[in-house]
């Protein structure tokens, strides 16, 4: 497990020029301007980024409103939309998920052995949720705030993440100080610039490595 404040070493770590294809699944507030900006940052580093919109254009200014919409549509329906969108895209990709977008990202990375890697932000399901084991050669980063009630609640995502890392050598858990959910989205009031910068650095390093 890693913990985390931004460091000069992280910010100055050299990155390769290899282009990686990414499928990014949005969080409970939708495909917001903040997530589009994050995708553009990855594109600026030379990567191709696909951003399926399972909310079909709807975005929300608060987590509560976004979750209410997700419940109205149905989490199962949203998962089906995400997987269907990925079916039309390449499979040799890095799956990135934020919040509710972690579920399709984790399912697809685990089910498709040709996936390059996965990045799970603000959520994590037990490995057994989508199969017997995680593919040995698919690295995964898990990111979350240590005081986020959605992520760190006892018996929840953080416990699943710790068990994930204990069972999967290619998994890394990065914890950031704070109590926010959706802290990496610059368009939302929960945004934490320092943590988001470090997350971005670590994701770019992973993309360069795979």
């Amino acid at each position: 497990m890693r913990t985390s404040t931004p460091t000069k070493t992280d910010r100055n770590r050299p990155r390769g020029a290899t282009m990686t294809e990414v499928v990014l699944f949005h969080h409970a507030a939708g495909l917001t301007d903040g997530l589009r900006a994050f995708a553009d940052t990855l594109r600026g580093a030379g990567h191709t980024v696909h951003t399926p919109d399972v909310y079909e254009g709807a975005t929300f200014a608060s987590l509560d409103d976004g979750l209410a919409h997700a419940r109205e549509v149905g989490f199962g329906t949203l998962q089906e939309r995400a997987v269907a969108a990925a079916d039309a895209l390449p499979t040799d990709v890095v799956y990135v998920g934020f919040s509710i977008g972690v579920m399709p990202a984790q399912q697809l990375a685990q089910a498709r052995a040709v996936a390059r890697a996965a990045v799970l932000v603000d959520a994590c399901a037990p490995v057994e949720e989508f199969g017997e084991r995680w593919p040995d050669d698919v690295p995964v980063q898990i990111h979350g705030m240590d005081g986020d009630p959605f992520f760190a609640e006892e018996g929840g995502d953080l416990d699943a993440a710790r068990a994930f890392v204990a069972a999967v050598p290619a998994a890394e858990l990065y914890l950031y100080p704070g109590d926010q959910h959706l802290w990496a989205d610059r368009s939302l009031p929960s945004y934490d610039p320092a943590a988001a910068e470090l997350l971005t650095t670590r994701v770019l390093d992973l993309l360069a490595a795979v």
Side-chain angles (χ1 to χ4, degrees), residues 38-47 49 204:
F38 179 81
D40 285 342
T41 297
L42 304 188
R43 292 183 183 111
H47 307 292
V49 185
L204 286 171

Side-chain angles (χ1 to χ4, degrees), residues 8-186:
K8 183 176 181 181
T9 301
D10 278 314
R11 285 194 288 264
N12 294 340
R13 191 178 299 155
R15 303 188 185 98
T18 303
M19 186 274 287
T20 302
E21 201 146 2
V22 176
V23 179
L24 187 157
F25 295 105
H26 65 74
H27 51 52
L31 187 56
T32 59
D33 289 342
L35 276 190
R36 292 181 187 276
F38 179 81
D40 285 342
T41 297
L42 304 188
R43 292 183 183 111
H47 307 292
T48 298
V49 185
H50 307 278
T51 53
D53 185 357
V54 301
Y55 277 10
E56 300 177 335
T59 59
F60 300 89
S62 75
L63 176 60
D64 287 344
D65 289 344
L67 286 173
H69 177 74
R71 293 187 188 101
E72 181 179 352
V73 175
F75 290 103
T77 297
L78 295 173
Q79 184 82 354
E80 291 171 1
R81 288 179 183 176
V83 172
D87 284 343
L89 298 172
T91 55
D92 182 19
V93 301
V94 175
Y95 292 103
V96 178
F98 289 81
S99 180
I100 63 172
V102 162
M103 295 301 103
Q106 189 171 337
Q107 177 182 338
L108 291 163
Q110 188 165 349
R112 297 178 174 178
V114 295
R116 290 195 181 189
V119 177
L120 314 178
V121 185
D122 292 327
C124 180
V127 172
E128 298 77 17
E129 182 81 12
F130 301 113
E132 294 183 1
R133 61 196 302 274
W134 186 264
D136 291 335
D137 57 350
V138 177
V140 55
Q141 291 184 349
I142 306 167
H143 301 261
M145 283 199 159
D146 57 12
D148 171 8
F150 291 93
F151 181 75
E153 182 178 355
E154 185 176 354
D157 297 64
L158 179 53
D159 286 347
R162 285 174 169 149
F164 200 127
V165 170
V168 179
E172 294 181 293
L173 171 59
Y174 296 104
L175 287 178
Y176 304 78
D179 59 2
Q180 297 298 310
H181 198 65
L182 311 187
W183 46 271
D185 186 325
R186 69 180 65 178

